[in-house]
Amino acid sequence: MSHKVKVLAYAKDDYREIRGYVKRKFGDKVWMTVEADFKKLLLQIADMPLAGFVPEEIEALGLVHYRQRLVGQTRVIYQIKGEEIFVHMFVDTGKDFASVLYDRLMSK
């Protein structure tokens, strides 16, 4: 059974930032490959949402319906709500995730 995946506005902003960086640094051809990897992962999340793991930073907040999967050096953070999946963040693994999470929570 496939779930419906929705990418939230903040996550879309994250995605655009990643796209701009990859295109500037590595070019359009590399971006096409990276974009295909993102699309593939979103399809996998739709089919097997529980395959991701709960990041410890989120688990520490008591939020257990959130999961993480990786695309290259990018964390994809998503929430499982019934038959729907909400993608909340695309975060580079080089960033301090706890700080990014805190900033995102405080900006809402």
Side-chain angles (χ1 to χ4, degrees):
M1 176 175 85
S2 187
H3 294 69
K4 183 173 181 163
V5 176
K6 295 180 181 180
V7 179
L8 300 177
Y10 280 107
K12 287 179 182 179
D13 291 342
D14 296 338
Y15 189 81
R16 283 189 282 274
E17 184 180 317
I18 292 166
R19 179 182 61 210
Y21 172 79
V22 171
K23 283 182 154 193
R24 276 190 313 278
K25 185 105 172 153
F26 304 106
D28 289 337
K29 189 172 183 177
V30 171
W31 171 248
M32 290 174 62
T33 302
V34 172
E35 183 177 40
D37 291 343
F38 277 117
K39 288 178 180 180
K40 181 179 174 182
L41 179 73
L42 293 176
L43 290 173
Q44 290 173 354
I45 289 171
D47 289 337
M48 299 177 296
L50 295 176
F53 67 91
V54 180
E56 64 184 53
E57 298 90 345
I58 291 176
E59 189 173 38
L61 298 172
L63 304 172
V64 296
H65 297 291
Y66 288 79
R67 297 279 190 276
Q68 169 183 300
R69 298 279 303 269
L70 292 174
V71 172
Q73 297 297 312
T74 303
R75 294 177 175 213
V76 179
I77 307 297
Y78 61 95
Q79 176 186 21
I80 304 166
K81 263 190 169 176
E83 302 304 315
E84 294 182 307
I85 306 295
F86 297 95
V87 177
H88 285 267
M89 303 170 83
F90 294 94
V91 182
D92 186 285
T93 57
K95 292 184 178 181
D96 176 24
F97 181 62
S99 295
V100 173
L101 180 60
Y102 177 79
D103 290 346
R104 185 67 52 93
L105 290 172
M106 292 297 112
S107 69
K108 288 188 177 185

